[in-house]
Amino acid sequence: MAPYVADARRRQRARPVPRVPPRRAVITIVHDEPVFLPIWLGYYGRFFDPRDIYVLDNETTDGSTERDGFVRIPVTRAEVDHTWMVRTVEALQHDLLDRGYDVVVVTDVDEIIAPVPELGDLGGYLDGFGAEWVNCLGYEVLHQPAAEPPLELSRPVLTQRGHWFPNGAYDKAAVASAPMTWRPGFHGREDFRYDLDPDLRLIHLHRMDFDLCLQRHRTRARRRWAAADADRRWAVHNQITEDEAFARWFFTDSSIEGFPIRLEPIRSNWREVV
């Protein structure tokens, strides 16, 4: 992989830097996310004006979207439907570009996009963004309960967690200056084109805390799932709630067949990123 990564890095660095920082927006979609939405807003709020932060709110009932700091857009879908979700977000991404934004970032609410710290922060990265789109390099944080206490939500996540693992499912095409068409789950473009920036990470926080993750699975499992999602077993890991099966998935299953979990230590310079 080293030659491929080196070539991808050279290609990204060779792109021209805009003379004027691009006007930028960020999008997510939520339904009852009392843990992750405050983390997501706290991070992206450092780099985006509140009027440029768009949260599609699918009938949240827990009060987590009843706050300032973003543009709330109500949407309605009674069941978990990943095709509806991706098309709804796509439509907003296209609309924002039509309305004058130069770059739009799209993430799930448990995803943090950040360049490697030695290159600066997300704001600086977006100020110099000159590509049509890029794929991030996905890493998933993994709580180790035997050595790490439960997460304190008032403190930065990465100061409390020591390991993550590369997960290709999260090499998402999440930053774009052109209208995008994604596969359901946003795991890649519909045309399978891929343009990696190996110095731009997508940090997936789904497994940042064992108990919080189990609670979230139980909440999601109670919802009705669209027939197509159930038939194709899309995101089926979100419905694993039995104690033994959940623990087995949490620690050993990357959710990609043939892609084992190989833990790596989180370097100290990442600690204050999120």
Side-chain angles (χ1 to χ4, degrees), residues 99-117:
R99 287 160 49 189
Y101 285 100
D102 302 299
V103 180
V104 180
V105 177
V106 171
T107 80
D108 286 340
V109 74
D110 58 3
E111 296 171 351
I112 298 297
I113 294 175
V116 294

Side-chain angles (χ1 to χ4, degrees), residues 137-141 164-167 170 201-204 264:
L137 187 62
Y139 269 73
E140 188 158 10
V141 175
W164 56 14
F165 63 94
N167 191 334
Y170 299 98
R201 299 289 173 84
L202 188 152
I203 305 168
H204 191 214
E264 299 178 5

Side-chain angles (χ1 to χ4, degrees), residues 15-190:
R15 287 186 166 130
V17 175
R19 287 186 295 177
V20 178
R23 183 184 176 208
R24 57 186 185 247
V26 62
I27 302 171
T28 196
I29 186 168
V30 299
H31 170 81
D32 289 348
E33 292 286 359
V35 171
F36 284 107
L37 183 58
I39 294 172
W40 189 91
L41 289 170
Y43 177 74
Y44 290 104
R46 288 150 54 186
F47 312 113
F48 294 84
D49 188 276
R51 62 188 172 185
D52 302 322
I53 300 173
Y54 294 88
V55 177
L56 291 155
D57 181 5
N58 184 21
E59 299 187 307
T60 290
T61 60
D62 64 4
S64 57
T65 56
E66 295 176 7
R67 54 185 294 168
D68 297 326
F70 63 95
V71 178
R72 176 181 170 271
I73 302 175
V75 292
T76 300
R77 191 71 165 185
E79 57 191 7
V80 177
D81 184 338
H82 287 85
T83 300
W84 169 82
M85 187 183 304
V86 74
R87 301 302 169 233
T88 300
V89 172
E90 272 175 14
L92 179 57
Q93 193 250 5
H94 297 179
D95 179 59
L96 294 180
L97 291 171
D98 287 342
R99 287 160 49 189
Y101 285 100
D102 302 299
V103 180
V104 180
V105 177
V106 171
T107 80
D108 286 340
V109 74
D110 58 3
E111 296 171 351
I112 298 297
I113 294 175
V116 294
E118 52 266 37
L119 296 182
D121 61 22
L122 180 61
Y125 181 90
L126 295 175
D127 283 345
F129 188 76
E132 186 176 347
W133 87 89
V134 294
N135 290 78
C136 307
L137 187 62
Y139 269 73
E140 188 158 10
V141 175
L142 184 60
H143 181 203
Q144 303 290 293
E148 298 169 341
L151 197 72
E152 294 181 32
L153 295 174
S154 61
R155 296 174 52 206
V157 174
L158 297 185
T159 64
Q160 304 175 67
R161 297 295 178 253
H163 294 84
W164 56 14
F165 63 94
N167 191 334
Y170 299 98
D171 292 0
K172 293 186 175 183
V175 183
S177 62
M180 296 289 283
T181 304
W182 290 279
R183 302 192 301 276
F186 302 92
H187 294 291
R189 287 171 56 100
E190 194 171 67

